[in-house]
């Protein structure tokens, strides 16, 4: 087979890139190691920056998003029994959109299928060849049969454990990482939200987050030990602990119910430099990971897609390589700012095992400063709604 862009990974970033390229008449083939049902079964965040929404609009995939999403003009931050609101609309003029990543992925699959886009599932043994030449190609197997795609470029959208980053020689890559000493235990429940906007809560028992997917589907999280397993937490134990970590006036309103999904996610900050090697480009989790605090994971992947899509578009439409040549530099400049925000917000809201009494006092002081200072709130709001591309 032959195509212009081979895309490794059939998650939202790979599908979005493929659909955007399609709108400009640029051919692509998407390779996914799992099934479509498996990809759609993954539970992920659902807070979208306006940049991501604009890309979905440009891809022609935003109709259902606009019909079903929640528009959030702010978010709540709590500590102890105190709670204050960061007003995104007032401070930046821009809201965020709450729409589940699973639904984003579903919309993109539907668009690619409607356009007869080529997606290969259950691929194994993917090897990216000759990425440092003008004639890259990808080999893989499906059902034991070997296949090959010759292409102009390869986009690695295959996540942290994918083959794309490992294709770049070790003496070229530089990796930066921070592993956090806790995880997030999250449950999905068919219950109404405790609040019309998200609540991020710092308590003496650890962090908690009240989020939602729609009017009767909520996602709640608590900070937990990395030694914990899902089996250690019954629904009753989760709800009891969650109530203790949010202000009492919110806990009183909480409607609980059986979990329909429960999982524990470790937290890490990770960045790879560079994000390009020859004709191979890394996108999203293949190049960087952020803690979920502040919901930057999918949104940083979207900004990568923005830079790569426009670089490829300029290459094919105008014969210019300027966009693809500057891809890594532009993407990383924004990624590091998102990393900084997620690191800062995580440091502010969680309890760390080595925190001293002084450290805890500093957390409270910063939260009180944030609650009362407009400039501090504006800086947070600008980062939360998304820095410009």
């Amino acid at each position: 087979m032959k195509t212009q862009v081979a895309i490794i990974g059939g998650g939202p970033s790979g599908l979005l890139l493929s659909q955007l390229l399609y709108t400009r008449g640029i051919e692509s083939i998407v390779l996914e190691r799992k099934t479509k049902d498996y990809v759609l079964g993954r539970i992920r965040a659902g807070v979208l920056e306006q940049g991501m929404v604009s890309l979905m609009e440009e891809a022609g995939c935003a109709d259902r998003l606009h019909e079903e999403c929640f528009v959030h003009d702010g978010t709540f931050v709590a500590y102890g029994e105190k709670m204050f609101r960061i007003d995104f609309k007032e401070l930046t003029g821009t809201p965020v959109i709450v729409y589940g990543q699973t639904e984003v992925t579903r919309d993109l699959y539907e668009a690619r299928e409607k356009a007869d886009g080529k997606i290969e599932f259950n691929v194994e043994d993917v090897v990216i060849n000759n990425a440092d030449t003008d004639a890259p190609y990808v080999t893989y197997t499906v059902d034991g049969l070997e296949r090959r795609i010759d292409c102009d470029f390869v986009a690695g959208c295959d996540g942290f454990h994918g083959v794309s980053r490992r294709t770049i020689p070790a003496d070229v890559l530089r990796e930066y990482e921070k592993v956090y000493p806790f995880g997030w235990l999250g449950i999905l429940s068919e219950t109404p939200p405790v609040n019309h906007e998200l609540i991020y809560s710092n308590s003496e028992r650890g962090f908690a987050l009240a989020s939602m997917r729609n009017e009767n589907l909520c996602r709640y999280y608590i900070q937990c030990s990395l030694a914990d397993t899902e089996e250690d937490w019954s629904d009753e134990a989760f709800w009891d602990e969650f109530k203790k970590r949010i202000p009492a006036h919110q806990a009183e309103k909480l409607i609980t119910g059986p979990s329909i999904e429960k999982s524990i996610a470790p937290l890490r900050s990770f960045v790879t430099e560079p994000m390009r090697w020859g004709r191979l480009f890394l996108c999203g989790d293949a190049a960087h990971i952020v803690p979920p605090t502040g919901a930057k994971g999918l949104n940083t992947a979207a900004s990568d897609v923005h830079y790569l899509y426009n670089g490829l578009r300029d290459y094919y439409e105008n014969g210019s390589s300027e966009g693809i040549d500057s891809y890594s530099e532009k993407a990383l400049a924004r990624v590091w700012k998102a990393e900084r925000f997620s690191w800062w917000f995580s440091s502010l809201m969680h309890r760390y095992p080595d925190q001293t009494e002084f450290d805890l006092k500093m957390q409270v002081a910063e939260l009180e400063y944030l609650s009362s200072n407009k400039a501090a709130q504006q800086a947070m709001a600008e980062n939360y709604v998304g820095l410009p591309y």
Side-chain angles (χ1 to χ4, degrees):
M1 288 186 288
K2 192 160 188 166
T3 194
Q4 290 170 297
V5 183
I7 299 174
I8 317 297
S13 57
L15 295 170
L16 179 58
L17 177 61
S18 180
Q19 181 65 13
L20 286 166
L21 293 173
Y22 163 76
T23 66
R24 310 301 297 195
I26 301 169
E27 296 177 356
S28 65
I29 296 175
V30 177
L31 302 180
E32 169 54 47
R33 67 187 182 93
K34 298 291 188 179
T35 65
K36 176 183 173 183
D37 286 344
Y38 179 92
V39 175
L40 290 174
R42 294 187 295 215
I43 304 298
R44 295 290 188 270
V47 177
L48 308 182
E49 297 175 356
Q50 191 56 51
M52 174 66 180
V53 174
S54 297
L55 287 172
M56 290 289 285
E57 292 169 345
E58 189 171 355
C61 300
D63 289 349
R64 190 164 72 95
L65 184 158
H66 286 305
E67 288 174 8
E68 300 180 8
C69 74
F70 286 151
V71 178
H72 280 195
D73 291 335
T75 195
F76 288 93
V77 177
Y79 58 109
E81 290 301 314
K82 299 179 181 179
M83 191 165 86
F84 62 93
R85 183 171 182 266
I86 305 293
D87 191 324
F88 302 148
K89 200 70 180 291
E90 178 191 343
L91 294 163
T92 71
T94 305
V96 293
I97 302 299
V98 176
Y99 187 70
Q101 182 172 320
T102 300
E103 303 311 311
V104 169
T105 308
R106 195 184 309 279
D107 294 341
L108 289 167
Y109 269 130
E110 183 178 322
R112 296 310 298 126
E113 289 164 1
K114 185 177 179 181
D116 294 323
K118 182 69 173 174
I119 304 174
E120 292 253 37
F121 294 101
N122 293 313
V123 303
E124 299 178 313
D125 307 318
V126 174
V127 179
I128 301 168
N129 302 274
N130 291 356
D132 58 339
T133 74
D134 292 339
Y137 65 95
V138 179
T139 57
Y140 59 101
T141 61
V142 175
D143 296 328
L145 299 176
E146 293 187 7
R147 299 187 182 178
R148 169 173 168 153
I149 299 174
D150 291 280
C151 53
D152 299 330
F153 301 99
V154 180
C157 305
D158 50 348
F160 183 76
H161 299 290
V163 69
S164 297
R165 186 177 68 255
R166 298 199 304 270
T167 298
I168 302 176
D171 61 351
V172 173
L173 277 185
R174 185 164 183 183
E175 298 181 347
Y176 305 84
E177 183 174 35
K178 175 180 176 60
V179 177
Y180 295 80
F182 44 75
W184 276 19
L185 168 65
I187 71 166
L188 200 63
S189 64
E190 292 177 325
T191 54
V194 66
N195 193 289
H196 67 287
E197 293 176 339
L198 274 63
I199 303 173
Y200 292 87
S201 185
N202 175 323
S203 91
E204 62 182 12
R205 302 178 67 90
F207 170 77
L209 169 62
S211 182
M212 74 283 290
R213 294 294 176 268
N214 57 48
E215 292 178 354
N216 198 46
L217 187 64
C218 287
R219 187 75 165 156
Y220 293 107
Y221 300 92
I222 57 173
Q223 175 184 346
C224 68
S225 168
L226 289 171
D228 288 356
T229 67
E230 290 89 341
E231 291 73 27
D232 294 329
W233 288 89
S234 66
D235 288 355
E236 183 181 3
F238 176 90
W239 290 121
D240 181 63
E241 184 63 29
F242 184 83
K243 287 179 181 179
K244 293 175 181 176
R245 297 191 187 191
I246 62 174
H249 64 278
Q250 294 297 312
E252 290 168 0
K253 301 190 300 179
L254 181 68
I255 297 175
T256 65
S259 65
I260 58 175
E261 193 272 344
K262 188 182 296 179
S263 58
I264 292 178
L267 272 64
R268 65 153 49 94
S269 299
F270 175 85
V271 181
T272 287
E273 295 184 354
M275 289 173 57
R276 177 198 181 184
W277 182 60
R279 295 201 165 202
L280 167 63
F281 302 87
L282 303 181
C283 277
D285 288 359
H288 43 78
I289 302 284
V290 290
T293 327
K296 291 301 165 195
L298 176 59
N299 291 302
T300 50
S303 64
D304 295 345
V305 169
H306 164 81
Y307 294 122
L308 183 54
Y309 157 61
N310 282 289
L312 291 169
R313 190 175 130 189
D314 199 27
Y315 176 86
Y316 285 111
E317 294 179 358
N318 303 312
S320 170
S321 63
E322 182 179 350
I324 57 176
D325 289 343
S326 62
Y327 166 73
S328 181
E329 180 183 358
K330 287 180 179 177
L332 282 167
R334 193 176 189 278
V335 162
W336 276 115
K337 293 182 179 71
E339 292 279 350
R340 184 212 67 82
F341 174 70
S342 295
W343 162 82
W344 168 80
F345 202 18
S346 296
S347 300
L348 182 64
M349 301 306 296
H350 291 82
R351 291 297 166 113
Y352 289 72
D354 59 349
Q355 274 179 314
T356 65
E357 290 296 319
F358 178 85
D359 297 329
L360 295 173
K361 286 288 190 181
M362 286 298 98
Q363 272 191 337
V364 172
E366 184 152 6
L367 284 161
E368 291 186 343
Y369 179 71
L370 181 62
S371 71
S372 60
N373 185 278
K374 208 61 166 284
Q377 291 184 9
Q378 182 166 355
M380 177 180 170
E382 288 174 351
N383 281 273
Y384 196 102
V385 305
L387 298 173
Y389 292 166

